[in-house]
Amino acid sequence: MMADHNNHAEHGEAHFREKHLMLDPLPRGQMNEMVMESMYHTTWKFWVVFGLLAAITAYALFYSWGVMIAEGLGVAGVNRPSYWGIFLVNTVFWIGISHAGTFISAILRVFKAEFRRPFTRAAELMTTFGLVQAGFSIFMHMGRVWLSYWLMPYPNQRMLWPNFHSPLSWDLLAITTYLLSSTMYLFLPLIPDLAMARDRSTGWRKTFYKTLALGFRGTEGEWAHLRNAMNIFAFAIIPVMFSVHTIVSWDFAVATRPGWSSTIFGPYFVIGALHSGMGAVVAVLAIIRGTMKHMKYFIRAEHFDAIGKLMLIISMGWAYFFFNDYMIQWYGGDKWTDHLLHFHEYGPLGWMWFAMLICNVAVPWLILWNARWRANPLLISIVGIIINVGMWFERYIIVPISLSINRMPFTWRMYEPGIEIPLGIGTVTFFILLYMAASKLIPLIPVWEVQEGQMAHELKKFGRETVVTVSELE
């Protein structure tokens, strides 16, 4: 009887350790070597995919963009009344993608959620790389990109200043602020891992890591300064994140157009950004886990389960704000708004409106309520991709489709994209390329954070029960 009880207790502890990364520690040196090996280990499949994506990116961002610069914006589909097309759709989409990366890392760090530890860096990289694509999309929309410096305040003899009434100026200021702050927030927790990589590298890599590690040796004083800086940035970057997408929503909400003039657009855009960003994070984590060596040890089913719960809650929040916005516009009784709402649902692209609801509400609610399905990396990553398709449809409905209907029926015209399509594909392939390059240059797993968490977690027995305890580390 006693032997059966001991076997049951041992089986329970083994189950705990297999399920939770924080309870399954490995020696520090072995974990460091696993992360280094994941960077050095490269297969031929990696280079085939990398070369293919590089070719598509070069065609889209060099050839297609060059054609548009040489020929002018006339080769794009933007024309009266839809002066904003896919370029603005992609700008809003990529800013949304970028939001969840920093949000996940900062908010979970502030609330000390322990499951965050192995995937914060992969999420933070998404912020920086997503903002790069958003910046590209804005410059594409400008047409005469060589005059982009006109957006920056600069001294001149005639005292001409940028038009601060222009949403382009708002976007530039918001994106630049967020890009600088999120890059700093990405870099700070990277320093100890760069120092670890420096001590285990030779040749050009050693020089590269030595430069970026800033001489970090892991003294008590260095750790204290690093933790203080990370805490300050974690608290400061959350309001910055909310403000950026609120400013993006003002691009639309301050106009007196049907469908745009809404006081709820600020929080509606923020929750939409988090919805698409969380979907992107889970897809990125599934790809990293499936393609990089040793990543199955660091990224486990528990992490997909936890992110899946957040995705379900955010999907419910998005549904609330969407129907709130829809009901207020419908109840208002404005003639042109009624025309626009009817056009959304029954116009030539009405299928997109229904597909948006299926992708953003029906699919997440049907799948993410189940714990076993949430913990399946392949299934939840497919849900994440579907959510992003739905969120791209939402931005397409808000921008070019809503611009097709205004208060002057003689100008009504459907938007037909042209060169925007290869340029948009180019931003997607460039985003993936940046991730692939980063996976071979920097540790995607914050090893020191994982090791710190494993030191804090412990299994203890109270009578017959085995419980998890977490110590406070300073």
Side-chain angles (χ1 to χ4, degrees):
M1 188 70 178
M2 183 62 73
D4 290 343
H5 174 69
N6 290 338
N7 289 337
H8 179 73
E10 289 174 4
H11 179 74
E13 285 189 21
H15 177 70
F16 264 118
R17 296 188 191 284
E18 182 184 356
K19 191 175 179 182
H20 300 290
L21 173 64
M22 293 299 111
L23 300 172
D24 186 22
L26 290 176
R28 192 167 189 162
Q30 184 181 350
M31 213 180 295
N32 290 338
E33 291 302 324
M34 288 167 67
V35 172
M36 292 301 294
E37 195 177 349
S38 70
M39 288 196 295
Y40 290 145
H41 179 75
T42 307
T43 64
W44 64 269
K45 294 177 184 174
F46 175 90
W47 291 116
V48 169
V49 175
F50 191 89
L52 184 63
L53 292 174
I56 297 173
T57 304
Y59 174 81
L61 297 187
F62 287 95
Y63 175 74
S64 298
W65 200 352
V67 169
M68 192 174 74
I69 290 172
E71 301 291 331
L73 272 177
V75 296
V78 287
N79 206 335
R80 193 175 71 168
S82 301
Y83 289 114
W84 288 3
I86 285 183
F87 296 141
L88 265 296
V89 173
N90 288 342
T91 301
V92 180
F93 177 77
W94 283 116
I95 292 177
I97 289 284
S98 70
H99 267 63
T102 300
F103 173 79
I104 287 177
S105 177
I107 202 79
L108 296 184
R109 190 184 298 277
V110 167
F111 286 105
K112 299 183 178 179
E114 294 297 319
F115 66 87
R116 78 180 194 278
R117 292 181 181 272
F119 61 79
T120 51
R121 183 157 307 140
E124 290 160 7
L125 280 171
M126 200 174 70
T127 296
T128 303
F129 296 161
L131 287 174
V132 170
Q133 313 312 319
F136 271 129
S137 300
I138 286 182
F139 288 133
M140 291 172 190
H141 176 73
M142 293 177 69
R144 293 186 295 174
V145 68
W146 60 91
L147 299 178
S148 58
Y149 68 93
W150 285 7
L151 288 169
M152 305 294 288
Y154 60 95
N156 59 81
Q157 290 183 338
R158 292 191 296 166
M159 297 301 289
L160 296 175
W161 295 95
N163 179 12
F164 289 111
H165 291 174
S166 167
L168 274 180
S169 297
W170 307 350
D171 285 341
L172 182 75
L173 292 173
I175 291 174
T176 306
T177 304
Y178 194 46
L179 179 62
L180 292 175
S181 55
S182 60
T183 304
M184 285 297 297
Y185 184 69
L186 163 70
F187 180 67
L188 286 173
L190 187 58
I191 293 174
D193 291 322
L194 290 170
M196 179 275 291
R198 172 200 61 200
D199 297 338
R200 288 167 174 76
S201 303
T202 56
W204 68 268
R205 278 183 180 268
K206 189 172 185 67
T207 307
F208 176 70
Y209 296 131
K210 184 179 178 182
T211 305
L212 291 179
L214 305 178
F216 187 84
R217 293 291 171 188
T219 64
E220 192 172 336
E222 288 174 339
W223 278 112
H225 290 308
L226 183 65
R227 289 184 194 286
N228 288 336
M230 284 166 49
N231 286 333
I232 291 170
F233 266 89
F235 280 96
I237 207 164
I238 293 173
V240 174
M241 183 274 291
F242 279 98
S243 69
V244 170
H245 220 58
T246 304
I247 290 172
V248 172
S249 79
W250 291 348
D251 293 350
F252 307 93
V254 295
T256 55
R257 296 188 62 87
W260 280 10
S261 184
S262 167
T263 55
I264 208 171
F265 255 31
Y268 177 45
F269 269 50
V270 171
I271 197 80
L274 295 177
H275 200 22
S276 60
M278 295 293 284
V281 165
V282 82
V284 166
L285 288 179
I287 293 171
I288 290 174
R289 183 178 186 272
T291 57
M292 292 184 68
K293 199 170 183 180
H294 301 308
M295 289 299 113
K296 286 186 174 63
Y297 168 77
F298 292 103
I299 303 172
R300 305 189 180 194
E302 60 168 327
H303 303 117
F304 293 100
D305 178 52
I307 296 176
K309 290 175 185 172
L310 291 175
M311 289 168 65
L312 182 59
I313 294 169
I314 291 173
S315 175
M316 292 176 178
W318 182 88
Y320 167 75
F321 279 105
F322 173 80
F323 286 107
N324 192 328
D325 181 59
Y326 182 90
M327 286 296 295
I328 295 299
Q329 291 192 60
W330 172 78
Y331 193 77
D334 177 70
K335 174 184 174 183
W336 304 109
T337 303
D338 287 344
H339 274 298
L340 180 65
L341 294 179
H342 188 270
F343 188 70
H344 282 170
E345 298 162 34
Y346 302 105
L349 294 178
W351 62 269
M352 193 177 282
W353 191 84
F354 291 101
M356 171 189 70
L357 293 179
I358 292 171
C359 294
N360 291 336
V361 179
V363 171
W365 290 14
L366 284 173
I367 293 178
L368 297 180
W369 66 272
N370 187 302
R372 182 174 295 179
W373 293 347
R374 278 198 309 269
N376 185 317
L378 177 62
L379 183 59
I380 196 172
S381 64
I382 292 173
V383 174
I385 293 170
I386 289 174
I387 288 173
N388 272 285
V389 172
M391 288 308 300
W392 193 88
F393 285 165
E394 185 222 39
R395 279 71 182 258
Y396 195 91
I397 291 167
I398 290 175
V399 183
I401 292 182
S402 294
L403 283 172
S404 302
I405 300 292
N406 54 31
R407 294 188 174 90
M408 295 181 290
F410 62 92
T411 66
W412 290 0
R413 171 182 169 272
M414 285 298 295
Y415 166 71
E416 296 178 359
I419 204 167
E420 299 97 313
I421 294 174
L423 288 169
I425 293 172
T427 59
V428 176
T429 55
F430 190 44
F431 176 80
I432 301 172
L433 268 182
L434 289 174
Y435 251 112
M436 294 181 74
S439 71
K440 299 302 169 190
L441 287 175
I442 61 173
L444 287 188
I445 300 295
V447 194
W448 69 270
E449 284 204 71
V450 174
Q451 292 166 345
E452 183 186 70
Q454 290 179 338
M455 288 171 59
H457 286 70
E458 193 176 358
L459 280 176
K460 286 186 177 179
K461 286 185 179 178
F462 293 93
R464 294 185 176 183
E465 293 297 325
T466 303
V467 297
V468 180
T469 61
V470 184
S471 307
E472 187 75 26
L473 294 179
E474 290 295 339

